[in-house]
Amino acid sequence: MRIVNSEFRIGNSRMLQHSGGFTLIELILASGLFAMVLVMGFSVLSDAGRLNDRTQAQRRVGQTAQTALETIGREIRLANGLLDITSEGKLTQLASPFIFRNGSTDGQGRTVASSIQINQTDFPSVFAPQPKAQLVTLVTTGNDRYLELRVCQTTDCTSYSQQARITPVGVVVEDFQISGVSHTLQDSTRLPVVTLRLTIADLLISGGDATSAVRQTLETTVTTRNLREKLP
């Protein structure tokens, strides 16, 4: 009688131990499922991170292109040519409001260039105009391509005293085109209009691969102010 009760207790004890733990197969299955969930979670987070990086790059490229065009457009709108006062007290033009550099003429008589000289004459008084020439140009240094604004020391911009980047480090200017028709004070048949086209790419997001880079192209048309508004 005692032996039977002892076996029953032992068997009951074994049943309790088995019901409170896991077998090796159960642990392997649970570990496999947990690993699959982790892999799927990391994959979702990685895709979300890449999507966020591209979204940020697109926003950065768009803002950079828009800021660059606004900066150049503002200077062009202020262009009125390089003027001087003659001994008779009349204005004479030294240079037109803008001059295209490194350009060629298309079939419509418009000049397409990668650099533009912007000529501005301030009028603190009608007898003392102060000429200022600036040059917007595309600069290539190694793998870096950026727009630069130069303050010229001479009317032909062969030398300059200051220069500043228009587009920041981290983005590459893939294409910059300026098109329009240069005009003079006496030429009232040509509209003082300049079209700017800019393509900027962010190569950091693609590890330097241009084929998968984030890029954006913007185009705008700028009209200079009336050339005759300062004439006496």
Side-chain angles (χ1 to χ4, degrees):
M1 184 69 179
R2 285 193 297 272
I3 295 176
V4 172
N5 288 338
S6 176
E7 290 178 353
F8 177 77
R9 285 196 298 270
I10 292 173
N12 188 39
S13 175
R14 289 178 178 176
M15 292 178 64
L16 290 175
Q17 290 178 2
H18 177 69
S19 63
F22 298 96
T23 65
L24 181 60
I25 295 178
E26 290 174 338
L27 289 175
I28 294 175
L29 290 176
S31 299
L33 290 175
F34 183 68
M36 290 179 61
V37 172
L38 284 180
V39 171
M40 293 176 62
F42 282 127
S43 178
V44 171
L45 290 177
S46 178
D47 291 342
R50 285 194 295 267
L51 179 60
N52 180 68
D53 290 342
R54 292 192 68 86
T55 301
Q56 294 295 332
Q58 289 174 350
R59 183 180 296 111
R60 181 168 56 251
V61 167
Q63 291 177 348
T64 299
Q66 183 175 359
T67 301
L69 290 182
E70 288 177 351
T71 301
I72 301 171
R74 180 173 60 250
E75 298 300 327
I76 292 177
R77 277 189 291 270
L78 295 176
N80 59 1
L82 296 183
L83 309 178
D84 198 2
I85 299 292
T86 65
S87 58
E88 294 82 12
K90 297 182 178 180
L91 287 176
T92 181
Q93 188 175 43
L94 302 178
S96 60
F98 46 83
I99 301 174
F100 299 102
R101 302 290 186 187
N102 304 323
S104 58
T105 304
D106 62 12
Q108 299 179 350
R110 295 169 59 88
T111 302
V112 180
S114 59
S115 299
I116 183 172
Q117 177 179 331
I118 305 169
N119 299 321
Q120 303 170 354
T121 297
D122 297 328
F123 289 84
S125 70
V126 72
F127 300 103
Q130 298 180 349
K132 179 179 65 174
Q134 300 181 99
L135 184 69
V136 175
T137 186
L138 179 61
V139 179
T140 300
T141 305
N143 295 327
D144 192 12
R145 286 167 57 89
Y146 60 92
L147 293 180
E148 187 174 80
L149 178 64
R150 300 173 179 176
V151 178
C152 306
Q153 289 182 316
T154 57
T155 56
D156 57 0
C157 283
T158 54
S159 62
Y160 50 92
S161 58
Q162 302 176 27
Q163 68 266 19
R165 289 183 67 125
I166 299 176
T167 53
V169 178
V171 298
V172 175
V173 178
E174 291 189 331
D175 184 48
F176 178 59
Q177 291 186 1
I178 314 153
S179 59
V181 179
S182 298
H183 56 283
T184 64
L185 287 173
Q186 292 77 24
D187 189 356
S188 59
T189 61
R190 294 179 176 178
L191 295 176
V193 175
V194 178
T195 300
L196 305 174
R197 182 181 177 86
L198 177 63
T199 300
I200 289 183
D202 189 332
L203 300 181
L204 297 179
I205 192 67
S206 61
D209 183 11
T211 59
S212 59
V214 175
R215 56 176 50 82
Q216 188 166 356
T217 300
L218 294 181
E219 182 176 306
T220 186
T221 299
V222 183
T223 304
T224 63
R225 60 185 178 181
N226 189 352
L227 300 180
R228 301 176 182 275
E229 63 182 4
K230 295 298 183 179
L231 292 179

Tab-separated table of all heavy atoms in Angstrom, residues 64-79 114-118 120 134-138 146-149 166-167 173 176-178 194-198 220 222 224:
chain	number	residue	atom	x	y	z
A	64	THR	N	17.123	74.225	-51.642
A	64	THR	CA	18.382	74.765	-52.142
A	64	THR	C	18.210	75.371	-53.532
A	64	THR	O	18.700	76.478	-53.806
A	64	THR	CB	19.451	73.664	-52.187
A	64	THR	OG1	19.665	73.155	-50.866
A	64	THR	CG2	20.766	74.201	-52.734
A	65	ALA	N	17.523	74.660	-54.418
A	65	ALA	CA	17.305	75.175	-55.772
A	65	ALA	C	16.474	76.450	-55.747
A	65	ALA	O	16.775	77.413	-56.459
A	65	ALA	CB	16.619	74.108	-56.625
A	66	GLN	N	15.432	76.467	-54.920
A	66	GLN	CA	14.577	77.651	-54.851
A	66	GLN	C	15.338	78.848	-54.296
A	66	GLN	O	15.232	79.966	-54.817
A	66	GLN	CB	13.355	77.358	-53.981
A	66	GLN	CG	12.363	78.502	-53.908
A	66	GLN	CD	11.110	78.134	-53.125
A	66	GLN	OE1	10.979	77.005	-52.649
A	66	GLN	NE2	10.203	79.066	-52.986
A	67	THR	N	16.139	78.641	-53.252
A	67	THR	CA	16.913	79.731	-52.666
A	67	THR	C	17.942	80.273	-53.660
A	67	THR	O	18.144	81.483	-53.766
A	67	THR	CB	17.623	79.247	-51.392
A	67	THR	OG1	16.648	78.786	-50.455
A	67	THR	CG2	18.426	80.369	-50.766
A	68	ALA	N	18.580	79.373	-54.396
A	68	ALA	CA	19.582	79.807	-55.377
A	68	ALA	C	18.949	80.653	-56.474
A	68	ALA	O	19.484	81.706	-56.851
A	68	ALA	CB	20.281	78.588	-55.974
A	69	LEU	N	17.801	80.211	-57.000
A	69	LEU	CA	17.138	80.976	-58.054
A	69	LEU	C	16.646	82.320	-57.525
A	69	LEU	O	16.702	83.327	-58.241
A	69	LEU	CB	15.975	80.169	-58.625
A	69	LEU	CG	16.355	78.938	-59.451
A	69	LEU	CD1	15.105	78.260	-60.011
A	69	LEU	CD2	17.298	79.301	-60.586
A	70	GLU	N	16.160	82.353	-56.297
A	70	GLU	CA	15.711	83.624	-55.720
A	70	GLU	C	16.885	84.584	-55.544
A	70	GLU	O	16.757	85.790	-55.780
A	70	GLU	CB	15.020	83.376	-54.379
A	70	GLU	CG	13.654	82.715	-54.504
A	70	GLU	CD	13.038	82.424	-53.153
A	70	GLU	OE1	13.748	82.587	-52.133
A	70	GLU	OE2	11.858	82.025	-53.117
A	71	THR	N	18.038	84.063	-55.125
A	71	THR	CA	19.221	84.908	-54.946
A	71	THR	C	19.685	85.496	-56.271
A	71	THR	O	19.947	86.703	-56.382
A	71	THR	CB	20.361	84.090	-54.315
A	71	THR	OG1	19.931	83.579	-53.045
A	71	THR	CG2	21.599	84.942	-54.127
A	72	ILE	N	19.774	84.655	-57.288
A	72	ILE	CA	20.208	85.141	-58.608
A	72	ILE	C	19.156	86.069	-59.206
A	72	ILE	O	19.480	87.120	-59.779
A	72	ILE	CB	20.472	83.949	-59.544
A	72	ILE	CG1	21.549	83.042	-58.953
A	72	ILE	CG2	20.900	84.435	-60.930
A	72	ILE	CD1	21.723	81.738	-59.694
A	73	GLY	N	17.889	85.691	-59.086
A	73	GLY	CA	16.806	86.516	-59.635
A	73	GLY	C	16.753	87.896	-59.013
A	73	GLY	O	16.474	88.888	-59.701
A	74	ARG	N	17.011	87.968	-57.703
A	74	ARG	CA	16.999	89.277	-57.032
A	74	ARG	C	18.068	90.195	-57.602
A	74	ARG	O	17.825	91.396	-57.819
A	74	ARG	CB	17.202	89.081	-55.532
A	74	ARG	CG	17.203	90.396	-54.740
A	74	ARG	CD	17.247	90.153	-53.252
A	74	ARG	NE	18.444	89.419	-52.862
A	74	ARG	CZ	18.448	88.166	-52.438
A	74	ARG	NH1	17.317	87.497	-52.350
A	74	ARG	NH2	19.582	87.578	-52.097
A	75	GLU	N	19.253	89.653	-57.863
A	75	GLU	CA	20.317	90.480	-58.427
A	75	GLU	C	19.997	90.896	-59.861
A	75	GLU	O	20.278	92.029	-60.259
A	75	GLU	CB	21.644	89.707	-58.385
A	75	GLU	CG	22.126	89.345	-56.987
A	75	GLU	CD	22.356	90.560	-56.113
A	75	GLU	OE1	22.751	91.611	-56.645
A	75	GLU	OE2	22.145	90.457	-54.890
A	76	ILE	N	19.404	89.994	-60.632
A	76	ILE	CA	19.054	90.334	-62.016
A	76	ILE	C	17.979	91.408	-62.054
A	76	ILE	O	18.001	92.309	-62.903
A	76	ILE	CB	18.612	89.073	-62.776
A	76	ILE	CG1	19.796	88.127	-62.957
A	76	ILE	CG2	18.013	89.432	-64.134
A	76	ILE	CD1	19.437	86.828	-63.640
A	77	ARG	N	17.009	91.321	-61.157
A	77	ARG	CA	15.939	92.335	-61.136
A	77	ARG	C	16.486	93.728	-60.840
A	77	ARG	O	15.866	94.731	-61.224
A	77	ARG	CB	14.883	91.951	-60.101
A	77	ARG	CG	13.858	90.946	-60.621
A	77	ARG	CD	12.711	90.757	-59.648
A	77	ARG	NE	13.137	90.065	-58.445
A	77	ARG	CZ	13.109	88.750	-58.297
A	77	ARG	NH1	12.688	87.996	-59.294
A	77	ARG	NH2	13.510	88.189	-57.172
A	78	LEU	N	17.623	93.792	-60.142
A	78	LEU	CA	18.217	95.090	-59.827
A	78	LEU	C	19.162	95.585	-60.922
A	78	LEU	O	19.727	96.666	-60.812
A	78	LEU	CB	18.990	95.005	-58.507
A	78	LEU	CG	18.147	94.737	-57.250
A	78	LEU	CD1	19.048	94.573	-56.037
A	78	LEU	CD2	17.136	95.846	-57.028
A	79	ALA	N	19.344	94.786	-61.961
A	79	ALA	CA	20.281	95.161	-63.022
A	79	ALA	C	19.747	96.325	-63.846
A	79	ALA	O	18.586	96.342	-64.235
A	79	ALA	CB	20.546	93.959	-63.929
A	114	SER	N	26.198	79.456	-69.214
A	114	SER	CA	26.329	78.923	-67.866
A	114	SER	C	26.821	79.974	-66.883
A	114	SER	O	26.962	79.693	-65.690
A	114	SER	CB	27.300	77.732	-67.853
A	114	SER	OG	28.581	78.135	-68.325
A	115	SER	N	27.086	81.191	-67.373
A	115	SER	CA	27.515	82.302	-66.520
A	115	SER	C	26.830	83.574	-66.997
A	115	SER	O	26.564	83.740	-68.192
A	115	SER	CB	29.042	82.483	-66.556
A	115	SER	OG	29.701	81.337	-66.086
A	116	ILE	N	26.557	84.452	-66.048
A	116	ILE	CA	25.947	85.724	-66.407
A	116	ILE	C	26.575	86.840	-65.584
A	116	ILE	O	26.768	86.709	-64.373
A	116	ILE	CB	24.412	85.702	-66.196
A	116	ILE	CG1	23.793	87.020	-66.662
A	116	ILE	CG2	24.046	85.385	-64.761
A	116	ILE	CD1	22.278	87.008	-66.676
A	117	GLN	N	26.950	87.914	-66.262
A	117	GLN	CA	27.455	89.103	-65.589
A	117	GLN	C	26.283	90.049	-65.369
A	117	GLN	O	25.580	90.421	-66.304
A	117	GLN	CB	28.540	89.789	-66.419
A	117	GLN	CG	29.064	91.081	-65.800
A	117	GLN	CD	30.146	91.724	-66.627
A	117	GLN	OE1	30.881	91.034	-67.338
A	117	GLN	NE2	30.253	93.041	-66.544
A	118	ILE	N	26.078	90.422	-64.132
A	118	ILE	CA	24.963	91.293	-63.760
A	118	ILE	C	25.529	92.668	-63.439
A	118	ILE	O	26.343	92.822	-62.519
A	118	ILE	CB	24.211	90.727	-62.547
A	118	ILE	CG1	23.760	89.291	-62.833
A	118	ILE	CG2	23.016	91.598	-62.201
A	118	ILE	CD1	23.235	88.563	-61.618
A	120	GLN	N	24.989	96.531	-62.296
A	120	GLN	CA	24.086	97.395	-61.542
A	120	GLN	C	24.759	98.741	-61.290
A	120	GLN	O	25.936	98.796	-60.943
A	120	GLN	CB	23.714	96.755	-60.199
A	120	GLN	CG	23.073	95.389	-60.309
A	120	GLN	CD	22.964	94.714	-58.963
A	120	GLN	OE1	23.473	95.213	-57.963
A	120	GLN	NE2	22.300	93.568	-58.933
A	134	GLN	N	28.671	92.067	-61.066
A	134	GLN	CA	28.734	90.787	-60.390
A	134	GLN	C	28.649	89.669	-61.428
A	134	GLN	O	28.047	89.837	-62.482
A	134	GLN	CB	27.586	90.646	-59.384
A	134	GLN	CG	27.588	91.705	-58.304
A	134	GLN	CD	26.444	91.511	-57.327
A	134	GLN	OE1	26.617	90.973	-56.256
A	134	GLN	NE2	25.273	91.954	-57.714
A	135	LEU	N	29.227	88.560	-61.082
A	135	LEU	CA	29.241	87.424	-61.990
A	135	LEU	C	28.699	86.203	-61.268
A	135	LEU	O	29.185	85.833	-60.203
A	135	LEU	CB	30.665	87.144	-62.496
A	135	LEU	CG	30.800	86.023	-63.527
A	135	LEU	CD1	30.177	86.434	-64.853
A	135	LEU	CD2	32.265	85.648	-63.727
A	136	VAL	N	27.676	85.586	-61.842
A	136	VAL	CA	27.153	84.311	-61.351
A	136	VAL	C	27.657	83.234	-62.302
A	136	VAL	O	27.396	83.295	-63.508
A	136	VAL	CB	25.614	84.308	-61.306
A	136	VAL	CG1	25.108	82.922	-60.904
A	136	VAL	CG2	25.106	85.361	-60.337
A	137	THR	N	28.389	82.276	-61.775
A	137	THR	CA	29.006	81.275	-62.636
A	137	THR	C	28.974	79.907	-61.988
A	137	THR	O	28.864	79.774	-60.764
A	137	THR	CB	30.462	81.670	-62.962
A	137	THR	OG1	31.002	80.753	-63.910
A	137	THR	CG2	31.320	81.667	-61.712
A	138	LEU	N	29.088	78.888	-62.830
A	138	LEU	CA	29.131	77.499	-62.371
A	138	LEU	C	30.592	77.092	-62.204
A	138	LEU	O	31.378	77.184	-63.142
A	138	LEU	CB	28.434	76.585	-63.375
A	138	LEU	CG	28.412	75.080	-63.072
A	138	LEU	CD1	27.688	74.807	-61.764
A	138	LEU	CD2	27.746	74.325	-64.216
A	146	TYR	N	29.234	73.798	-58.049
A	146	TYR	CA	28.392	74.725	-57.300
A	146	TYR	C	28.326	76.070	-58.006
A	146	TYR	O	29.145	76.381	-58.877
A	146	TYR	CB	28.924	74.900	-55.873
A	146	TYR	CG	30.341	75.435	-55.790
A	146	TYR	CD1	30.588	76.804	-55.685
A	146	TYR	CD2	31.432	74.570	-55.828
A	146	TYR	CE1	31.878	77.298	-55.614
A	146	TYR	CE2	32.727	75.052	-55.759
A	146	TYR	CZ	32.949	76.418	-55.638
A	146	TYR	OH	34.224	76.903	-55.580
A	147	LEU	N	27.321	76.855	-57.621
A	147	LEU	CA	27.159	78.203	-58.154
A	147	LEU	C	27.862	79.187	-57.233
A	147	LEU	O	27.789	79.084	-56.007
A	147	LEU	CB	25.678	78.564	-58.281
A	147	LEU	CG	24.872	77.790	-59.316
A	147	LEU	CD1	23.426	78.256	-59.325
A	147	LEU	CD2	25.473	77.930	-60.701
A	148	GLU	N	28.522	80.154	-57.861
A	148	GLU	CA	29.279	81.135	-57.097
A	148	GLU	C	28.938	82.538	-57.581
A	148	GLU	O	28.781	82.779	-58.788
A	148	GLU	CB	30.779	80.879	-57.248
A	148	GLU	CG	31.651	81.742	-56.366
A	148	GLU	CD	33.111	81.341	-56.458
A	148	GLU	OE1	33.773	81.739	-57.448
A	148	GLU	OE2	33.599	80.628	-55.560
A	149	LEU	N	28.821	83.458	-56.639
A	149	LEU	CA	28.584	84.874	-56.938
A	149	LEU	C	29.871	85.644	-56.665
A	149	LEU	O	30.401	85.605	-55.560
A	149	LEU	CB	27.445	85.426	-56.082
A	149	LEU	CG	27.134	86.919	-56.266
A	149	LEU	CD1	26.645	87.200	-57.681
A	149	LEU	CD2	26.098	87.369	-55.242
A	166	ILE	N	26.697	80.140	-53.698
A	166	ILE	CA	25.242	80.279	-53.686
A	166	ILE	C	24.597	78.965	-53.270
A	166	ILE	O	23.614	78.951	-52.534
A	166	ILE	CB	24.734	80.720	-55.067
A	166	ILE	CG1	25.329	82.079	-55.446
A	166	ILE	CG2	23.213	80.787	-55.095
A	166	ILE	CD1	24.943	82.545	-56.834
A	167	THR	N	25.139	77.865	-53.739
A	167	THR	CA	24.637	76.543	-53.356
A	167	THR	C	25.571	75.952	-52.305
A	167	THR	O	26.788	76.047	-52.419
A	167	THR	CB	24.555	75.611	-54.566
A	167	THR	OG1	25.829	75.591	-55.243
A	167	THR	CG2	23.497	76.104	-55.539
A	173	VAL	N	25.408	70.836	-58.362
A	173	VAL	CA	24.686	71.472	-59.467
A	173	VAL	C	24.992	70.677	-60.729
A	173	VAL	O	26.103	70.750	-61.271
A	173	VAL	CB	25.102	72.940	-59.632
A	173	VAL	CG1	24.377	73.567	-60.821
A	173	VAL	CG2	24.793	73.718	-58.363
A	176	PHE	N	23.102	74.124	-65.062
A	176	PHE	CA	22.713	75.516	-64.840
A	176	PHE	C	22.724	76.232	-66.175
A	176	PHE	O	23.754	76.322	-66.830
A	176	PHE	CB	23.660	76.203	-63.864
A	176	PHE	CG	23.342	77.653	-63.624
A	176	PHE	CD1	22.109	78.036	-63.129
A	176	PHE	CD2	24.271	78.643	-63.915
A	176	PHE	CE1	21.805	79.368	-62.904
A	176	PHE	CE2	23.979	79.975	-63.695
A	176	PHE	CZ	22.748	80.334	-63.188
A	177	GLN	N	21.561	76.709	-66.590
A	177	GLN	CA	21.429	77.385	-67.874
A	177	GLN	C	20.738	78.732	-67.686
A	177	GLN	O	19.744	78.841	-66.969
A	177	GLN	CB	20.623	76.537	-68.867
A	177	GLN	CG	21.331	75.284	-69.336
A	177	GLN	CD	20.559	74.553	-70.411
A	177	GLN	OE1	19.493	74.993	-70.822
A	177	GLN	NE2	21.100	73.442	-70.875
A	178	ILE	N	21.284	79.721	-68.350
A	178	ILE	CA	20.701	81.057	-68.383
A	178	ILE	C	20.436	81.380	-69.841
A	178	ILE	O	21.315	81.228	-70.692
A	178	ILE	CB	21.664	82.105	-67.806
A	178	ILE	CG1	22.274	81.600	-66.493
A	178	ILE	CG2	20.980	83.431	-67.586
A	178	ILE	CD1	23.613	82.178	-66.199
A	194	VAL	N	15.191	87.246	-68.500
A	194	VAL	CA	16.181	86.183	-68.362
A	194	VAL	C	15.481	84.947	-67.805
A	194	VAL	O	14.714	85.035	-66.842
A	194	VAL	CB	17.335	86.592	-67.424
A	194	VAL	CG1	18.323	85.449	-67.262
A	194	VAL	CG2	18.040	87.824	-67.962
A	195	THR	N	15.725	83.801	-68.406
A	195	THR	CA	15.188	82.531	-67.917
A	195	THR	C	16.304	81.731	-67.261
A	195	THR	O	17.360	81.523	-67.862
A	195	THR	CB	14.564	81.711	-69.059
A	195	THR	OG1	13.496	82.462	-69.645
A	195	THR	CG2	14.012	80.398	-68.543
A	196	LEU	N	16.062	81.293	-66.040
A	196	LEU	CA	17.043	80.519	-65.278
A	196	LEU	C	16.539	79.088	-65.127
A	196	LEU	O	15.382	78.868	-64.758
A	196	LEU	CB	17.266	81.124	-63.890
A	196	LEU	CG	17.679	82.604	-63.843
A	196	LEU	CD1	17.705	83.085	-62.403
A	196	LEU	CD2	19.037	82.797	-64.496
A	197	ARG	N	17.386	78.141	-65.403
A	197	ARG	CA	17.052	76.716	-65.250
A	197	ARG	C	18.157	76.045	-64.447
A	197	ARG	O	19.330	76.126	-64.809
A	197	ARG	CB	16.894	76.041	-66.612
A	197	ARG	CG	16.505	74.555	-66.528
A	197	ARG	CD	16.391	73.963	-67.923
A	197	ARG	NE	16.096	72.533	-67.885
A	197	ARG	CZ	14.876	72.022	-67.801
A	197	ARG	NH1	13.835	72.827	-67.757
A	197	ARG	NH2	14.703	70.716	-67.762
A	198	LEU	N	17.770	75.387	-63.365
A	198	LEU	CA	18.755	74.833	-62.429
A	198	LEU	C	18.367	73.415	-62.036
A	198	LEU	O	17.223	73.149	-61.675
A	198	LEU	CB	18.836	75.726	-61.187
A	198	LEU	CG	19.756	75.281	-60.048
A	198	LEU	CD1	21.197	75.232	-60.514
A	198	LEU	CD2	19.598	76.214	-58.860
A	220	THR	N	12.713	79.448	-63.744
A	220	THR	CA	11.997	80.682	-63.462
A	220	THR	C	12.395	81.742	-64.477
A	220	THR	O	13.462	81.661	-65.095
A	220	THR	CB	12.307	81.181	-62.034
A	220	THR	OG1	11.494	82.319	-61.736
A	220	THR	CG2	13.765	81.575	-61.900
A	222	VAL	N	12.881	85.894	-65.026
A	222	VAL	CA	13.120	87.125	-64.277
A	222	VAL	C	13.151	88.297	-65.247
A	222	VAL	O	13.757	88.212	-66.322
A	222	VAL	CB	14.459	87.055	-63.506
A	222	VAL	CG1	14.656	88.306	-62.666
A	222	VAL	CG2	14.504	85.806	-62.629
A	224	THR	N	14.174	92.361	-65.615
A	224	THR	CA	14.899	93.453	-64.977
A	224	THR	C	14.015	94.682	-64.897
A	224	THR	O	12.983	94.790	-65.569
A	224	THR	CB	16.170	93.787	-65.773
A	224	THR	OG1	15.787	94.240	-67.073
A	224	THR	CG2	17.061	92.588	-65.909
